[in-house]
Amino acid sequence: MSAMSDSGASRLRRQLESGGFEARLYVKQLSQQSDGDRDLQEHRQRVQALAEETAQNLKRNVYQNYRQFIETAREISYLESEMYQLSHLLTEQKSSLESIPLALLPAAAAGASTGEDTAGAGPRERGAAQAGFLPGSTGVPREGPGMGEEGKQRTLTTLLEKVEGCRDLLDTPGQYLVYNGDLVEYEADHMAQLQRVHGFLMNDCLLVATWLPQRRGMYRYNALYPLDRLAVVNVKDNPPMKDMFKLLMFPESRIFQAENAKIKREWLEVLEETKRALSDKRRREQEEAAAPRAPPPVTSKGSNPFEDEDEEELATPEVEEEKVDLSMEWIQELPEDLDVCIAQRDFEGAVDLLDKLNHYLEDKPSPPPVKELRAKVDERVRQLTEVLVFELSPDRSLRGGPKATRRAVSQLIRLGQCTKACELFLRNRAAAVHTAIRQLRIEGATLLYIHKLCHVFFTSLLETAREFETDFAGTDSGCYSAFVVWARSAMGMFVDAFSKQVFDSKESLSTAAECVKVAKEHCQQLGEIGLDLTFIIHALLVKDIQGALHSYKEIIIEATKHRNSEEMWRRMNLMTPEALGKLKEEMRSCGVSNFEQYTGDDCWVNLSYTVVAFTKQTMGFLEEALKLYFPELHMVLLESLVEVILVAVQHVDYSLRCEQDPEKKAFIRQNASFLYETVLPVVERRFEEGVGKPAKQLQDLRNASRLLRVNPESTTSVV
């Protein structure tokens, strides 16, 4: 059975692999030959098994080919490396032969008899010995007696002819090549290989050139770094990343890999030695410049009795000029140490060094060496300031809160940049507050969003104020004025987001009142640090609140007019005791305590539905408006109340004059009495409690000796 299935599978495979295979024809024939669904299912299983087997074979072949590809690529890499080394050796030999002075040619001919001593040496060692290279180096001219200034210059010229775009380097007198070799540059963050480079170390700078693969032995200029602004850091081996070192140059850093550990050690040693030699040379130049000049020969006063006294006065300060000792090691290495601190983000260490130098040079004269040193230090101060400014820029991460800026702010203050530190700190916090507000998700009820908004904003404002007080304590008081201005601007940002969600979305007056109440409560928390911004939030919200009060007043007036148009002057029948009890509770919450006297037998109320609805709506409007109240809104609220009350009073007066039925007229008088003697005193009392002073307009309205009389044709009266 197994043999039959294997033969069927092989036959099927051959059929599918044939060049003239057509899927549509094959399926048609299979459908005609099959006896039923079972045959098709079995054939499908065979095809699926064949597909899985083919996939496995394909994976196996791909894996084998992949391994062979990796091994081939590795061999190609080895071969390429060997060819590159061979090409480099030939280039070095050619360069060294071209650099041999003509004066040494006879000596080289005389030394040909000593070739037997090097006969046993390898070809690379013999070439290095004959060309005059240091043992084990990658092409360093020997600086022995045979290599004079002309030879050094010729070597440098020959090597730099192979570097495109660096002709101007030869303009510096006394510059010569110290060391050079191939390196591989890696990306600092992810340690990915970037490019091949060649380093040329001169006695005062380091030239980095990129390798040109299409032109063997030629390079293109990449960068030039002065040694006094360059710091070298050894990178610990972390396989497979090894034999690396880092060069720190503000504001960048670069990582290079040497061919092996020996060449890496040579690079580190020769870099340090060259930097030290350059530092010693400049220190000697400074000492020579700072050394006092020999006093001019003193002539006898008797020989020239008419000698000009002014000339003596001019010569005296030159003799008595005080010398400033700049030979100490920490002063000589100060610019380099500052570069290292800036590159390693050791801002405190950099400012400590600057303070130490300023303290040392305090009350000392400023001869040319001191001015030169200060010029170098000032350049580092400028670089340090730029780094600190970048640390406080809004482009940086805003996480960590205000405390994350303390380090940069404190160092800027120590550098005497208090105003700039204050400006950058407040700008950073403004961006942080703006980002926090924008990241709030608008979901759910408006009041829930306002709670979140107030918590985020006022917490950030409080933390910023405390951090500001900590960072700028003891500084110029003008910084505190800047903070108050910033706080007002931040409050404007908050009010924009607040108004957009509360007032622009046409929320109800009760919701708006609750939201404003929440904002006021959070604003009062700033009083803990002596910061009162309540008047600012009032000034910013007054226009929106006026608009909300006006809109809600118009809604009440329209609703009252609509009910007045349908008024039949009939008593209310609430049908059930529960409804009557609920109405009594609502009136009690509105402040109408004597509502019991207006209830009748069973579930009847001796008042019109229009008057009862007006009472509840007016008292609700007053309660919500008092939550929004502050002095700037006094007249707006009072005028709105008077307008709303006049609509109801005018309607009652008009109905009383027009009604002819004595029974209905008595019922209208009862409703008018309820308005004048019960509702208006409650409105007046509640307004005085909420505002703190009585309202004369409401008193005049209540104390009217008669009902208001209006022209029946008036547009304010509704029949």
Side-chain angles (χ1 to χ4, degrees):
M1 187 70 179
S2 175
M4 292 179 63
S5 62
D6 293 342
S7 62
S10 61
R11 186 170 60 255
L12 177 61
R13 183 184 296 107
R14 287 195 302 270
Q15 188 175 2
L16 294 176
E17 290 176 351
S18 63
F21 175 76
E22 293 185 5
R24 185 182 300 275
L25 182 59
Y26 175 75
V27 173
K28 183 178 180 181
Q29 293 176 356
L30 183 64
S31 301
Q32 293 174 355
Q33 296 173 3
S34 62
D35 295 337
D37 182 65
R38 185 172 182 179
D39 291 344
L40 293 176
Q41 292 291 343
E42 292 177 355
H43 196 81
R44 178 188 177 188
Q45 292 176 0
R46 287 198 297 271
V47 173
Q48 187 172 0
L50 182 61
E52 293 177 356
E53 181 182 355
T54 304
Q56 292 296 330
N57 293 334
L58 182 61
K59 289 181 181 178
R60 192 178 301 110
N61 293 334
V62 169
Y63 178 69
Q64 292 177 356
N65 294 336
Y66 183 67
R67 292 183 58 186
Q68 293 176 2
F69 174 78
I70 292 177
E71 293 174 359
T72 305
R74 188 180 293 114
E75 292 297 331
I76 293 174
S77 177
Y78 292 155
L79 180 60
E80 183 183 5
S81 177
E82 292 176 358
M83 292 297 295
Y84 179 76
Q85 292 178 5
L86 180 59
S87 173
H88 188 67
L89 286 174
L90 292 175
T91 304
E92 290 175 355
Q93 296 296 329
K94 180 181 177 182
S95 301
S96 60
L97 289 174
E98 292 176 353
S99 64
I100 296 177
L102 297 176
L104 296 181
L105 290 178
S113 60
T114 63
E116 299 177 358
D117 298 336
T118 60
R124 184 172 181 175
E125 296 175 357
R126 288 200 302 272
Q130 293 170 5
F133 287 90
L134 288 175
S137 71
T138 57
V140 183
R142 179 176 296 160
E143 300 178 13
M147 182 67 70
E149 293 297 330
E150 182 180 355
K152 295 178 183 178
Q153 185 67 21
R154 184 174 300 170
T155 302
L156 178 62
T157 304
T158 303
L159 287 177
L160 294 184
E161 282 178 353
K162 300 181 179 300
V163 182
E164 297 179 356
C166 63
R167 282 292 182 182
D168 295 339
L169 296 176
L170 299 179
D171 295 342
T172 305
Q175 191 178 60
Y176 59 88
L177 183 68
V178 178
Y179 193 83
N180 74 95
D182 291 322
L183 298 168
V184 179
E185 184 176 5
Y186 280 77
E187 202 267 331
D189 294 330
H190 304 94
M191 300 305 291
Q193 183 173 335
L194 293 179
Q195 58 186 344
R196 284 183 177 180
V197 299
H198 195 90
F200 296 91
L201 177 63
M202 268 70 78
N203 59 324
D204 59 348
C205 61
L206 174 65
L207 170 68
V208 179
T210 55
W211 183 63
L212 297 176
Q214 68 275 15
R215 300 175 62 186
R216 194 174 298 275
M218 295 297 293
Y219 308 94
R220 179 181 289 112
Y221 170 78
N222 179 262
L224 181 68
Y225 303 109
L227 289 183
D228 56 353
R229 299 183 184 180
L230 185 69
V232 186
V233 178
N234 183 20
V235 178
K236 185 178 179 181
D237 290 348
N238 185 18
M241 301 301 171
K242 58 181 182 178
D243 304 330
M244 293 182 173
F245 59 92
K246 180 185 291 188
L247 299 182
L248 304 177
M249 310 77 58
F250 177 82
E252 60 176 323
S253 62
R254 302 177 71 172
I255 295 180
F256 299 99
Q257 183 183 44
E259 184 178 351
N260 51 49
K262 180 181 178 182
I263 295 180
K264 170 190 173 181
R265 185 169 61 255
E266 290 180 359
W267 269 108
L268 295 176
E269 291 175 356
V270 74
L271 278 168
E272 290 298 331
E273 291 174 1
T274 308
K275 286 169 58 67
R276 192 178 300 110
L278 180 63
S279 177
D280 294 341
K281 176 184 176 183
R282 292 184 175 175
R283 183 172 67 249
R284 289 193 299 269
E285 293 175 354
Q286 292 178 356
E287 291 176 354
E288 293 174 359
R293 300 178 182 177
V298 181
T299 58
S300 174
K301 292 184 179 180
S303 62
N304 187 7
F306 303 103
E307 183 179 5
D308 192 357
E309 297 180 357
D310 295 338
E311 294 182 1
E312 294 182 359
E313 294 177 358
L314 292 174
T316 302
E318 186 174 340
V319 176
E320 297 179 355
E321 182 179 357
E322 183 180 354
K323 178 182 177 182
V324 180
D325 185 12
L326 301 179
S327 61
M328 289 175 286
E329 183 178 0
W330 71 270
I331 293 182
Q332 294 297 320
E333 297 180 354
L334 182 64
E336 179 182 341
D337 292 341
L338 287 174
D339 288 335
V340 173
C341 290
I342 294 173
Q344 295 181 346
R345 300 171 58 82
D346 182 13
F347 307 137
E348 294 82 359
V351 179
D352 290 341
L353 289 174
L354 292 172
D355 288 345
K356 183 178 180 181
L357 178 66
N358 292 332
H359 181 71
Y360 176 76
L361 296 179
E362 189 178 6
D363 300 332
K364 286 185 172 60
S366 298
V370 174
K371 293 180 179 178
E372 182 180 355
L373 176 62
R374 285 196 177 276
K376 294 181 179 179
V377 171
D378 290 343
E379 176 64 21
R380 270 68 176 187
V381 171
R382 184 188 63 79
Q383 296 173 359
L384 178 60
T385 303
E386 290 178 356
V387 176
L388 294 174
V389 168
F390 178 71
E391 287 293 312
L392 292 173
S393 65
D395 297 333
R396 296 282 289 173
S397 176
L398 299 175
R399 297 179 180 178
K403 293 183 180 179
T405 62
R406 181 180 300 177
R407 185 183 179 207
V409 168
S410 60
Q411 302 313 314
L412 277 176
I413 293 175
R414 291 179 62 189
L415 289 174
Q417 303 281 347
C418 182
T419 303
K420 180 176 291 186
C422 176
E423 177 186 355
L424 293 171
F425 172 79
L426 295 178
R427 189 183 302 169
N428 179 280
R429 297 314 307 156
V433 172
H434 180 67
T435 302
I437 292 177
R438 288 187 58 187
Q439 289 177 348
L440 276 178
R441 298 181 60 183
I442 302 176
E443 57 183 1
T446 300
L447 186 58
L448 178 61
Y449 171 80
I450 294 302
H451 273 287
K452 293 181 181 179
L453 176 65
C454 292
H455 175 74
V456 169
F457 174 76
F458 287 102
T459 300
S460 299
L461 194 62
L462 190 61
E463 291 177 351
T464 301
R466 288 172 175 167
E467 184 64 25
F468 186 90
E469 191 174 7
T470 301
D471 293 344
F472 295 92
T475 59
D476 184 11
S477 58
C479 294
Y480 289 90
S481 301
F483 176 78
V484 174
V485 174
W486 174 86
R488 180 183 178 86
S489 175
M491 186 64 74
M493 187 191 313
F494 164 77
V495 170
D496 288 342
F498 182 93
S499 298
K500 187 179 298 182
Q501 190 64 23
V502 175
F503 296 107
D504 294 353
S505 59
K506 304 299 181 182
E507 292 288 341
S508 65
L509 189 65
S510 59
T511 301
E514 288 296 328
C515 292
V516 172
K517 180 181 178 183
V518 170
K520 287 182 179 179
E521 291 175 352
H522 278 82
C523 191
Q524 290 172 359
Q525 295 177 1
L526 298 177
E528 299 176 5
I529 58 172
L531 184 64
D532 186 6
L533 299 179
T534 307
F535 68 99
I536 294 180
I537 197 172
H538 285 173
L540 295 174
L541 285 176
V542 63
K543 186 177 295 185
D544 291 325
I545 295 178
Q546 284 180 356
L549 291 175
H550 178 75
S551 298
Y552 200 70
K553 176 200 70 175
E554 294 298 328
I555 292 174
I556 294 177
I557 291 176
E558 289 299 323
T560 304
K561 289 181 178 180
H562 179 71
R563 288 192 298 267
N564 291 345
S565 65
E566 299 177 352
E567 179 62 76
M568 303 299 294
W569 293 114
R570 295 175 181 175
R571 293 191 302 164
M572 292 178 62
N573 185 4
L574 299 178
M575 308 300 292
T576 62
E578 291 78 9
L580 180 60
K582 182 179 179 181
L583 179 60
K584 291 179 179 179
E585 184 63 29
E586 290 176 350
M587 285 298 178
R588 194 176 297 110
S589 64
C590 291
V592 181
S593 57
N594 61 342
F595 189 71
E596 293 284 347
Q597 69 183 32
Y598 295 98
T599 59
D601 299 334
D602 296 331
C603 299
W604 290 89
V605 177
N606 297 324
L607 292 173
S608 168
Y609 167 77
T610 301
V611 173
V612 172
F614 168 79
T615 302
K616 292 193 294 183
Q617 200 168 19
T618 302
M619 294 305 300
F621 171 69
L622 177 59
E623 291 296 331
E624 301 301 337
L626 289 176
K627 293 179 183 178
L628 297 169
Y629 177 83
F630 44 86
E632 291 82 356
L633 296 172
H634 182 83
M635 291 306 300
V636 176
L637 176 57
L638 187 57
E639 291 173 358
S640 298
L641 274 175
V642 171
E643 286 186 42
V644 169
I645 294 173
L646 280 176
V647 172
V649 169
Q650 289 172 357
H651 172 67
V652 171
D653 178 68
Y654 182 79
S655 300
L656 190 60
R657 288 188 292 109
C658 295
E659 185 59 51
Q660 302 298 326
D661 187 355
E663 185 176 350
K664 282 189 176 182
K665 203 164 190 177
F667 180 70
I668 295 174
R669 289 184 179 278
Q670 187 175 5
N671 282 273
S673 175
F674 174 75
L675 284 176
Y676 278 97
E677 298 175 3
T678 302
V679 176
L680 290 183
V682 171
V683 171
E684 182 182 349
R685 183 175 64 254
R686 184 68 189 94
F687 184 88
E688 185 175 353
E689 291 174 356
V691 173
K693 57 182 178 180
K696 185 176 183 299
Q697 290 88 337
L698 294 177
Q699 291 177 355
D700 294 342
L701 191 61
R702 181 175 61 89
N703 294 330
S705 58
R706 58 185 178 86
L707 296 178
L708 290 178
R709 299 291 181 179
V710 295
N711 185 1
E713 303 296 330
S714 173
T715 57
T716 59
S717 297
V718 180
V719 179

